[in-house]
Amino acid sequence: MAKNEKQFVEEITPMDVDFAQWYTDVVTKTDLVDYAPVKGFMVIKPYGYALWEKIQAFFDAKIKATGHKNCYFPLLIPESLLTKEAEHVEGFAPEVAWVTQGGNKTLEERLCVRPTSETIICTMYAKWLKSYRELPYLYNQWCSVVRWEKTTRPFLRTSEFLWQEGHTLHETYEEAEKETLDILQMYKEVCEDLLAMPVIDGQKSESEKFAGGERTYTIEAMMHDGKALQSGTSHFLGQHFTKAFDITFSDREGNLANPYHTSWGISTRLIGGLIMTHSDNRGLVLPPRIAPTQVVIVPIAANKGGVMEKVDEIYAQLKERGISVEVDDRPNYSPGYKFNDWEMKGVPVRIEIGPKDIENNHALVFRRDTLVKEAYSLEGLTDSIADLLERMHYDMLEKARAHRESRTSVAKDMTEFKKALEEKPGFIKAMWCGCPECEAKIKAETAATIRCIPFEQEDLGTNKCVYCGKEAKDMVIIAKAY
Amino acid sequence: MAKNEKQFVEEITPMDVDFAQWYTDVVTKTDLVDYAPVKGFMVIKPYGYALWEKIQAFFDAKIKATGHKNCYFPLLIPESLLTKEAEHVEGFAPEVAWVTQGGNKTLEERLCVRPTSETIICTMYAKWLKSYRELPYLYNQWCSVVRWEKTTRPFLRTSEFLWQEGHTLHETYEEAEKETLDILQMYKEVCEDLLAMPVIDGQKSESEKFAGGERTYTIEAMMHDGKALQSGTSHFLGQHFTKAFDITFSDREGNLANPYHTSWGISTRLIGGLIMTHSDNRGLVLPPRIAPTQVVIVPIAANKGGVMEKVDEIYAQLKERGISVEVDDRPNYSPGYKFNDWEMKGVPVRIEIGPKDIENNHALVFRRDTLVKEAYSLEGLTDSIADLLERMHYDMLEKARAHRESRTSVAKDMTEFKKALEEKPGFIKAMWCGCPECEAKIKAETAATIRCIPFEQEDLGTNKCVYCGKEAKDMVIIAKAY
């Protein structure tokens, strides 16, 4: 293995040498993504897009099963609509791309390339909605959005990204609140059940909430380097937009009322999270449920009698079982090269099989996550591999959770806080009085931000704000973040 | 039925009164689409989007089964890239939307919102491709494109539309040519096997081909009013773009070569075609394979004993069979209202069941396409309905084909041509010498264009060009078109 190891060390910068460069190497050298000619824009290559398709399929099935429907709203939004909700325009206007010319003519009104679609969708909802009988509106769209970012990094922050944005209307406050939380739960399932990426769910502070909304709920994951990644947000928007856009319906008593409103989104950013949760110095490590190819079979001495027959047999059985499997029978590459190649690509399981293995009635099975290679009996190999893939999902989830726990500290005051952040960069649990001044000062002094007020509150043995020492309101998770 | 009929006549303008208004009424009043605030842009509502999702799923499965992969290229393309292929920029520049400001700053170079992605994709391909071993590139993307259109109509021609665009590279001319034709065949299957919309496949004339390409293949459908709808195009681009963008690879002999290139697309325009092929004065008529809801069950006197039990039983059996079915048990609406509602929505089959039907051991089954209602025995009802849906697909395809035949004329000279176009607006089969002057004059005098040179050539009993009378090269289909 020494030789392989060396090859990778040369190709991919090790994490502990330069974490940012490690990330860039992994995403570009494993063919997930490339830089586009316009700064800040990315091309999602087929291998990267296959990950997004899996996320789409998983989440789309969940929202459809709960009565949501997809639709499509225009890419371009007139400036006059963007400015209708005051806080919203303040939040988004600075990062908008403007279309000013169409068909060789200067437009009378600038059109923004959607940074998010509340304003255009609310405009249409105002036109459509008449009666409480039509509620709830449970609509979603899959599309791309543009936000003119200054500092970008593939998947994590790019000037254009792919996402889904759900926009729902409800008769009552309670229903809308429930929707917001139900969706957050589905986002948690995308992260934990598909990506094996554990998240903490909670509420954003006032200063971190969606521009124009009432409350934002979030799921926060921890990356390898201890930084937080906001992985999905679900906004309870109350009646802010429905009033600004004059969306009304005649309620059960025949009175005109404004509905309650939610919006929620996950994006290709999740792919960045996936990578910084599981991958290593050899390249990608993909959890089995998201891996486009779950198993690769590498024949050893393929020209020897019986090898390819056995390989084809194993391939057929795995495929029959619904496992996504490939055979690497490229004639001009050595097994060592192939091993490297598939390890870098993060394929969860590799099966090696040659004449000696067949003689011994076994195959060598390599786990990408643990780098452990073991002999598996050819009897019941399909069952063993199916079990292994299932187990790997939970092992990877658990490993990521253990990493998060090992990088989580408790701080009672700012001395403890700064020490923890210095010695063990990661999540810090602390009490907070709830005032934006303390929040801003923590950020100014440490560059760490309140990631969320977790739903699951804990007793930290103090009831004093970590910053001001006054009576605290909530336990919060504070961390540096992407 | 007289009353229902009247209701619809009031709501949807009859085709023979005003065909364009009929179309607008159908697409807007059946909740497929709405007009967006920016002129020429549309909102695709959930019911319309469900049709697009079916088209996507059908075609995506076909291209994946043949080794194609999806990916995503940026929305915004620098002006300098658009201008690299001379004919291409000439064709597209006049209808482009330009982003000139981003993040509150004026950009140094204008960025166009992609009208199609050859230029950005070729730029990336030039960067990626090294060796013949990597070929073919079989990539596709699902996205929206913007073309600043002057006259628009929902689905048929809008300033933004959804589509897929495939962009492939091949080692040889023959492989690329084969790809172009294979894809055209898949497009034909989308139209005929999914939408029950017959098409004629053939090649575009020089003047109608893709800007910057070598040859364009097309499928052309006939609408209710006899006009043609170009329903999908597949372009053999030769080496035009690969040379302009300097895409090279080292070939089997170790020499540097330019690959051969194809691109191909179908769009939400197909939904317009679907409507103008099958729908009628009552509203939508959806062929069973594309219908989001294939069967609706309307209980009659639902409060009477046994009715809802029977309805639930039928519902469960149909669902079990994989048929998409809904029960309309809305309490405050009469059966008549519900019939109208579902007919307007184009649901292929309606099952009515009340106490008397149960007594008689039958259900009334209404076919949306023929408007025929018949009693079906409750014994084996699921089988009967499954058979009916299958049969309806072929019946609708056949009906549309018969309509096309009945509106197709042969013209040997321009006198016959003009007479045919006047008396029976539709497709005209004629011989053509192949010169662009005759083509242009036919268009100038009649507003009809050469839709395609069909693959299936026929003997029209003359070998003289319909316009100039000189020796003809090909039989062509000429028609007015959307």
Side-chain angles (χ1 to χ4, degrees), chain A residues 309-328:
Chain A
E309 287 76 2
K310 188 43 92 179
V311 164
D312 290 346
E313 185 192 320
I314 296 171
Y315 172 83
Q317 285 169 357
L318 289 172
K319 211 175 162 75
E320 168 74 25
R321 184 66 165 260
I323 293 169
S324 123
V325 53
E326 283 190 46
V327 173
D328 187 351

Side-chain angles (χ1 to χ4, degrees), chain A residues 34-38 41-47 49-50 53 60 64 69-78 81 93-105 107 110-111 113-114 120 123-124 127-128 133 139 142 144 146 148 150 160 162 326 332-333, chain B residues 34-38 41-47 49-50 53 60 64 69-78 81 93-105 107 110-111 113-114 120 123-124 127-128 133 139 142 144 146 148 150 160 162 326 332-333:
Chain A
D34 199 0
Y35 297 98
V38 181
F41 284 74
M42 65 175 169
V43 174
I44 307 180
K45 297 175 85 170
Y47 199 52
Y49 198 83
E53 286 184 312
D60 202 66
K64 288 216 171 107
K69 289 178 178 178
N70 289 326
C71 46
Y72 187 76
F73 291 86
L75 173 70
L76 302 180
I77 303 172
L81 295 189
E95 53 183 47
V96 152
W98 294 103
V99 170
T100 61
Q101 296 160 5
N104 283 338
K105 282 192 184 144
L107 304 179
R110 294 197 297 180
L111 305 174
V113 182
R114 63 175 162 237
I120 178 81
T123 303
M124 300 311 297
K127 185 176 166 191
W128 298 341
R133 284 193 194 85
Y139 302 151
W142 294 94
S144 86
V146 170
W148 219 256
K150 287 194 187 71
E160 182 189 14
L162 303 181
E326 283 190 46
N332 298 321
Y333 296 89
Chain B
D34 199 359
Y35 298 98
V38 181
F41 284 74
M42 65 175 168
V43 174
I44 307 180
K45 297 175 86 170
Y47 199 52
Y49 199 82
E53 286 183 312
D60 203 65
K64 289 218 171 105
K69 289 179 177 177
N70 289 326
C71 47
Y72 187 76
F73 291 85
L75 174 70
L76 302 181
I77 302 173
L81 295 189
E95 53 183 48
V96 153
W98 294 103
V99 170
T100 61
Q101 296 160 4
N104 282 339
K105 282 192 184 146
L107 304 180
R110 295 196 297 180
L111 305 174
V113 181
R114 65 175 162 238
I120 178 81
T123 303
M124 300 311 297
K127 185 176 166 191
W128 298 340
R133 283 193 194 86
Y139 301 151
W142 294 94
S144 85
V146 170
W148 218 257
K150 287 193 187 73
E160 181 189 15
L162 303 181
E326 283 190 46
N332 298 322
Y333 295 88

Side-chain angles (χ1 to χ4, degrees), chain B residues 412-414 430-435 438 442 462-473:
Chain B
K412 292 186 180 142
D413 55 39
M414 286 308 285
M431 298 307 293
W432 176 46
C433 64
C435 88
C438 288
I442 293 170
T462 172
N463 196 28
K464 296 217 166 75
C465 173
V466 67
Y467 194 85
C468 67
K470 288 186 191 144
E471 196 183 344
K473 235 177 104 229

